[in-house]
Amino acid sequence: MMQDRDALDWIDAPSPNFDDRMLPVSIIVLHYTGMQSAEEAITRLRDPEAKVSSHYVVAEDGQILRLVDERQRAWHAGRSHWRGVTDINSASVGIEIVNPGHEFGYRPFPDEQIDAVIRLTADIKHRHGITRGNVVGHSDIAPARKQDPGELFPWGRLARLRLALPRPTKGLMDPGWTDAGFVLALERFGYDVADPLAATVAFQRRFRPELIDGTIDAECRMILLALLLPKPQGDD
């Protein structure tokens, strides 16, 4: 059945993999499917034995499938943490974006696909009153396990529409933190820092994707300090 709301169309493709929410929706989590084809990914997300699902899947041509009603808890986040929330599945809407991912030939996301992701994210964000800082990638909430949606995802396009935080570029100052101080600040921002290197890599993948080396340098410190300020300023 095709749904139509303010030019946002989707096809219902129900998955049996859901249960009841325990928390109100406050987070949007963006993933890539990380499988060789869209068909393979959708089949798995609807397979009761796989025990995984998402609320939506966005194909490369921009077609949106709805697998789980937003009122229900989809199973997309796994063991994860963001800003003190550990039951991310209960608190989030999960969007799977078709892309083979790092294992099967990671590639740029087509414009038609990102256009659809933007429309969908804007709709969800508005309806649930979600803040920009809570529109995150799977790697942000599970840095030791995940890389998606990855360094090729155009976060800047979402940031320019105030759908995600920008990469800070203005008024940057190096606070001169030690590496341990940077990790504490990263935890304050929202990351799980149980694995400090993984958390640093996830931060770089999201906010400094041209150099993902796990090294805490002045640029990382400056970006993180700006993000902790009330209104980070960027070109996005």
Side-chain angles (χ1 to χ4, degrees):
M1 181 175 67
M2 182 73 75
Q3 303 288 338
D4 185 3
R5 179 175 58 216
D6 297 333
L8 183 65
D9 298 334
W10 62 71
I11 296 173
D12 273 324
S15 171
N17 301 334
F18 64 87
D19 53 14
D20 293 334
R21 287 193 184 277
M22 298 292 108
L23 296 168
V25 174
S26 61
I27 302 168
I28 296 172
V29 182
L30 303 182
H31 308 252
Y32 62 42
T33 51
M35 301 187 76
Q36 294 187 24
S37 69
E39 293 75 19
E40 186 180 357
I42 292 163
T43 296
R44 185 167 188 268
L45 291 165
R46 300 176 70 198
D47 179 356
E49 294 187 4
K51 299 187 184 303
V52 293
S53 61
S54 63
H55 293 93
Y56 300 97
V57 176
V58 181
E60 289 186 299
D61 65 0
Q63 177 64 64
I64 300 170
L65 300 182
R66 183 177 70 167
L67 277 58
V68 175
D69 190 289
E70 288 179 32
R71 292 172 293 185
Q72 303 295 330
R73 177 181 181 271
W75 304 339
H76 59 95
R79 187 177 68 257
S80 51
H81 168 105
W82 185 251
R83 294 185 169 177
V85 178
T86 55
D87 184 0
I88 300 290
N89 282 334
S90 272
S92 68
V93 172
I95 302 173
E96 288 277 1
I97 305 165
V98 173
N99 187 293
H102 291 83
E103 187 175 353
F104 297 112
Y106 189 43
R107 59 187 181 230
F109 298 83
D111 287 343
E112 297 85 354
Q113 186 178 39
I114 297 303
D115 290 344
V117 170
I118 284 171
R119 291 194 302 271
L120 181 58
T121 301
D123 180 69
I124 297 166
K125 184 178 183 296
H126 174 74
R127 286 187 286 103
H128 294 285
I130 297 169
T131 65
R132 291 187 297 163
N134 276 357
V135 179
V136 295
H138 201 185
S139 58
D140 294 315
I141 64 170
R145 299 188 300 113
K146 296 296 180 178
Q147 301 179 72
D148 56 312
E151 60 276 7
L152 297 179
F153 185 77
W155 285 105
R157 287 195 58 190
L158 276 68
R160 283 190 288 275
L161 297 169
R162 299 189 66 79
L163 299 178
L165 287 173
R167 172 181 177 162
T169 58
K170 300 174 183 176
L172 299 181
M173 297 176 294
D174 184 357
W177 294 321
T178 64
D179 286 1
F182 176 86
V183 171
L184 286 173
L186 204 55
E187 183 176 39
R188 180 183 173 194
F189 182 63
Y191 284 88
D192 177 359
V193 297
D195 182 334
L197 176 60
T200 300
V201 167
F203 174 78
Q204 291 173 338
R205 180 170 276 116
R206 169 69 178 82
F207 291 105
R208 210 267 306 272
E210 70 275 9
L211 180 58
I212 306 170
D213 61 0
T215 299
I216 298 168
D217 56 23
E219 187 175 36
C220 290
R221 293 191 296 268
M222 290 190 291
I223 290 171
L224 181 54
L225 175 62
L227 286 166
L228 288 167
L229 297 176
K231 293 183 179 180
Q233 297 296 310
D235 298 325
D236 298 320

